[in-house]
Amino acid sequence: MESVLEEAVALLDEAGASALTFRALAQRLGGGVASIYWYVANKDELLDRAADHAMGPVLDVVEKLPQSDDPIDDLRVMAVTLFDAIVQRPWLSAYFMRNTSIQTHTLGLYEKLGQQTLRMNLTASQRFHAVSALVGVVVGSAVDLGQEPTQEMLDGNVDRDEYLHRVAQDWRDLDPQEFPFVHEIVDEFDGHDDVDQFRSALELTLTGLRLQAGV
Amino acid sequence: MESVLEEAVALLDEAGASALTFRALAQRLGGGVASIYWYVANKDELLDRAADHAMGPVLDVVEKLPQSDDPIDDLRVMAVTLFDAIVQRPWLSAYFMRNTSIQTHTLGLYEKLGQQTLRMNLTASQRFHAVSALVGVVVGSAVDLGQEPTQEMLDGNVDRDEYLHRVAQDWRDLDPQEFPFVHEIVDEFDGHDDVDQFRSALELTLTGLRLQAGV
DNA sequence: ACCTGAACACCGTTCAAGT
DNA sequence: ACCTGAACACCGTTCAAGT
């Protein structure tokens, strides 16, 4: 079981979600395809378990984080830790919190995030929504990352920077009268860093939360 | 072309992303599978175009929205409009803003959101990040919705409420000492509305944005 | 310009049969 | 308890050939 998940994660890391097939996994394990069905009921469960397996080290880090006097600061560090993990493993975002009865590490992370809201003056509803919002920011910001390279990127052998640059050029060719905003931000878009984007989105949500809790 | 997208959207609406196959689509169009390849290069493009096709009416609504004196209020209405569309078509979230050179309606929506930030005292970078954050909130909140029903849900013939209730029961069985947050919010989680969750996340981001712009 | 049948190289999943 | 080979019912995609 352990080695099944280990090899599944390795396949996902090497070539993304589309590379994880039962046949490829069986080959790496040196067995037949049907064997894997002794450990998991179907591919969904395999992916849920693989994702949670990869969350183990992340939970370890989060649990060892020192607590400051400011729960908002602690939430920020935790969210960044989680986001960093997803940056390194973009395939994670699609399977985060999909089945907590199987994903115990993920549930642990959810709990640790939530415990910070227990330190703030909020209602249970506000706490629930706050953590959902934070998870949403992390996952929402990571959606871009999780996307498999498009056919265009594979064909032209273009990397991310080159791809962003081409899109930016398309945008610059648009009518400035009709698309004033796109023209305003096209230089920002061109070569932008996903981490900056995430950080800004996170800060907006944390600011809103700070105001709500009055801390 | 128009009818290809029309039928593709119909298939997606009826049974989700997994129902849209070239064979199923060809059958509905009364033709062969290979015909579709005259209109689109591959399945990715089909999905990108279908998603943008469904965005047409949404853009129409957003463009006809009256402008208030508060750009934040206008952003809220637009975000809610977009979210509502995704609630009705959960499959949309996965293909939003994936290829703007093809997705002209989607680009139009992005522009309309952004134009509200032009009315606020922000830098170009802040504007870019603000709209990215808002899109992230919408898409991030919609990720739950977009997920296909799990095998467990199909097997047991359980609906969403019943499913939430089962997960909630699992959570209630956890050790309260170890999972104080999960216990705090389990009653909120049980039977929660995705719209409420989205609204809260949106409000936190808008509050942060209001503070940043000083309006 | 538009459509087709038939094939190719894959998938996830099942199942009777093995140890 | 664990593994297997072989089959089943699908996929997206290609291509030579048609109108």
Side-chain angles (χ1 to χ4, degrees), chain B residues 23 30-36 38-39 151:
Chain B
R23 282 169 178 78
V33 263
S35 319
I36 302 164
W38 197 88
Y39 298 98
Q151 200 57 41

Side-chain angles (χ1 to χ4, degrees), chain A residues 175-192:
Chain A
D175 178 8
Q177 301 289 329
E178 203 181 344
F179 293 92
F181 171 69
V182 170
H183 277 269
E184 161 87 1
I185 55 88
V186 64
D187 289 343
E188 301 293 329
F189 174 83
D190 198 355
H192 78 271

Side-chain angles (χ1 to χ4, degrees), chain A residues 21-27 29-40:
Chain A
T21 67
F22 278 78
R23 283 169 177 80
L25 183 54
Q27 198 181 356
L29 292 165
V33 263
S35 319
I36 303 165
Y37 283 89
W38 197 87
Y39 298 97
V40 295

Side-chain angles (χ1 to χ4, degrees), chain A residues 46-55 91-92 95-96 103 106:
Chain A
L46 174 65
L47 283 162
D48 286 343
R49 287 192 188 276
D52 196 58
H53 187 76
M55 279 299 168
W91 51 269
L92 270 179
Y95 306 99
F96 186 73
Q103 298 176 313
T106 308

Side-chain angles (χ1 to χ4, degrees), chain A residues 178, chain B residues 56-66 78 105 108-109 112:
Chain A
E178 203 181 344
Chain B
V58 183
L59 178 59
D60 286 343
V61 170
V62 165
E63 281 180 336
K64 287 190 180 64
L65 249 32
M78 289 181 184
H105 297 136
L109 262 166
K112 285 294 157 192

